[in-house]
Amino acid sequence: MVTLRTDFPGGNGTLLRSESDAEGETVWVIADSKAGEPQPLWFHVRIEGARGPRVRCVLANAQQCLGNVFRWKDNFLVVREGEGPWRRAGQARVETNEHLVPEMVCDIETTGGPLEVAFCFPYQQEQLNEAIAISERWKSGTIGYSRQGREITRIYNDLGDGHRSKPGVYLVARQHSGETPGSWVLDGIIRHLASLPAAQADKMCWWAVPFADPDGAAEGYYGKDQYPHDLNRSWNQPPARAEVFAIQKDLQRFGNRCTPAALIDLHAPAHHERGCYFYASRTPERLSEVTLRLAHRFIERLPERLRGEETFRYSGVMQTSAQAGESFTKYVMNRLGYPALTLECSYQGPSGSSPYTIEDYRFIGKTLADTIYELIT
């Protein structure tokens, strides 16, 4: 009998039904709208009792997920057997069922043991702990608490001083809690800075909030347009979310202890988008010039195999959210007067045939850190 589990950090998904045939098992699942998201996307499930050598995973609500339904064919889910390493599954395809509804289908080779399937590589507190444990350079502290009482943690290498004598970078990840590529990019930054000589690494203050929505990350929310407030549409004054208020207070501390050089929000776009690109405001112009220079230099440094088609996308070009409200970048640029931008790093890769690996995401983070050092120090 096939069963499906989601009772673990980041778990999301519902088993609709399963069927056996000569080749193995077919399971129909949906990505849950656990936080009331009108277009869910994140899923992470453990399938037990499925016969091998092939498990066919059918995402029954693919047409409801954020992104072009017919571009699911360019996606590669991630899988692992038991406690083994995560890997990309074979390329997905889109099939129309007997009711004319398109579904995403992915065939997974398996030995018949417990199988985990996720939209992209999961990232939880365990992975963060492994990254910051590499070096004593990284410290952590609690800057506030979520709606459900979870700690909102900031990691940092240097608290700066009252003279603001060093430039500083502030990073935020997982405002939309299912956007795990942002976490893997941050993971690459954390690991890279741990490997640098102190003389270079300590030229700047690096502060980061790895889980802006710790409730959503732990409970498996997708998070974009969640009810009643999308975290990244809640930066108005006063803010609509307790988590945003805590980070705003920390940004004040940051601005008092260093000279803000770049504030970057790490995200992932819809499932059909490719590569990575920066996303920011045209105004104020003096700050937009700084962010545009950073974006162009980052893409120049990035190997061509990891690039996308775009370098920079201005906010307001397209409607990407069902909710209205002030975003992190607009709050930082317009209210605080610091250069800020969003890095959108896709779940897949720069093309429909070369999906990102974990090491690719980490390399993107390393490249971002090196670019910032080059331009700012």
Side-chain angles (χ1 to χ4, degrees):
M1 176 181 177
V2 174
T3 59
L4 182 145
R5 292 178 53 195
T6 58
D7 57 342
F8 51 85
N12 177 301
T14 295
L15 176 66
L16 300 180
R17 68 184 190 278
S18 64
E19 293 180 2
S20 298
D21 58 30
E23 297 179 355
E25 205 84 40
T26 301
V27 295
W28 283 262
V29 301
I30 61 171
D32 289 331
S33 178
K34 296 181 81 170
E37 303 95 338
Q39 293 178 283
L41 187 58
W42 174 255
F43 57 89
H44 179 189
V45 299
R46 289 179 182 166
I47 301 169
E48 298 178 348
R51 268 188 332 111
R54 183 268 293 149
V55 171
R56 175 166 294 162
C57 183
V58 181
L59 184 65
N61 64 338
Q63 66 167 358
Q64 293 175 261
C65 294
L66 182 69
N68 184 330
V69 64
F70 295 104
R71 294 287 299 277
W72 274 106
K73 64 181 179 58
D74 297 327
N75 281 253
F76 297 76
L77 305 185
V78 300
V79 300
R80 70 171 180 173
E81 293 194 67
E83 298 299 319
W86 286 98
R87 59 179 174 85
R88 291 283 185 179
Q91 189 166 0
R93 60 187 184 275
V94 178
E95 296 184 357
T96 301
N97 66 20
E98 67 272 25
H99 307 294
L100 307 181
V101 177
E103 299 172 326
M104 186 276 292
V105 181
C106 181
D107 288 341
I108 303 167
E109 295 181 1
T110 176
T111 60
L115 187 70
E116 285 190 54
V117 183
F119 175 49
C120 193
F121 299 107
Y123 195 98
Q124 290 290 327
Q125 187 66 44
E126 177 183 357
Q127 285 72 41
L128 176 64
N129 291 343
E130 290 174 357
I132 62 178
I134 293 174
S135 170
E136 294 182 355
R137 179 167 294 150
W138 289 105
K139 305 170 183 64
S140 65
T142 302
I143 62 171
Y145 297 85
S146 71
R147 290 187 295 182
Q148 298 180 27
R150 290 185 174 90
E151 294 181 351
I152 303 170
T153 300
R154 180 236 298 147
I155 64 171
Y156 60 94
N157 72 323
D158 190 332
L159 288 175
D161 56 51
H163 301 290
R164 305 170 75 229
S165 59
K166 292 183 180 181
V169 177
Y170 199 104
L171 302 155
V172 176
R174 304 292 281 278
Q175 287 208 77
H176 298 144
S177 43
E179 296 180 358
T180 61
S183 286
W184 287 110
V185 171
L186 178 58
D187 191 274
I189 295 172
I190 294 169
R191 291 170 181 270
H192 181 51
L193 265 62
S195 70
L196 293 177
Q200 180 179 357
D202 295 342
K203 287 181 178 180
M204 300 182 64
C205 297
W206 290 83
W207 294 22
V209 178
F211 298 102
D213 184 359
D215 296 339
E219 299 192 17
Y221 299 170
Y222 171 40
K224 187 174 179 64
D225 295 325
Q226 66 172 283
Y227 180 83
H229 299 293
D230 181 314
L231 204 73
N232 199 33
R233 304 296 182 272
S234 300
W235 287 79
N236 312 297
Q237 292 285 60
R241 291 285 297 267
E243 299 86 351
V244 168
F245 187 68
I247 300 172
Q248 285 179 345
K249 290 297 183 183
D250 203 48
L251 288 171
Q252 293 175 13
R253 289 185 285 268
F254 176 73
N256 290 334
R257 303 289 299 186
C258 64
T259 301
L263 291 85
I264 302 174
D265 192 13
L266 301 170
H267 280 260
H271 75 78
H272 67 274
E273 295 191 53
R274 294 290 172 262
C276 55
Y277 59 87
F278 280 106
Y279 194 51
S281 174
R282 292 180 184 270
T283 58
E285 187 175 350
R286 65 177 180 83
L287 298 178
S288 182
E289 290 175 357
V290 174
T291 56
L292 186 60
R293 184 166 62 250
L294 174 59
H296 283 314
R297 184 61 183 133
F298 167 75
I299 294 298
E300 289 172 359
R301 275 179 161 269
L302 203 62
E304 188 172 351
R305 69 177 185 85
L306 299 179
R307 299 178 190 173
E309 296 179 356
E310 296 180 284
T311 300
F312 199 83
R313 182 183 293 182
Y314 285 112
S315 58
V317 171
M318 57 189 295
Q319 179 66 31
T320 60
S321 175
Q323 295 186 6
E326 194 164 17
S327 68
F328 169 86
T329 54
K330 288 186 177 180
Y331 171 81
V332 173
M333 295 268 279
N334 297 329
R335 295 183 185 269
L336 301 184
Y338 304 149
L341 64 171
T342 296
L343 177 62
E344 297 276 2
C345 192
S346 72
Y347 298 96
Q348 299 300 318
S351 71
S353 60
S354 56
Y356 288 138
T357 65
I358 288 175
E359 288 307 314
D360 288 336
Y361 287 123
R362 286 174 173 160
F363 189 83
I364 291 170
K366 172 187 180 300
T367 304
L368 178 57
D370 285 340
T371 304
I372 291 171
Y373 274 114
E374 174 191 337
L375 295 181
I376 295 173
T377 60

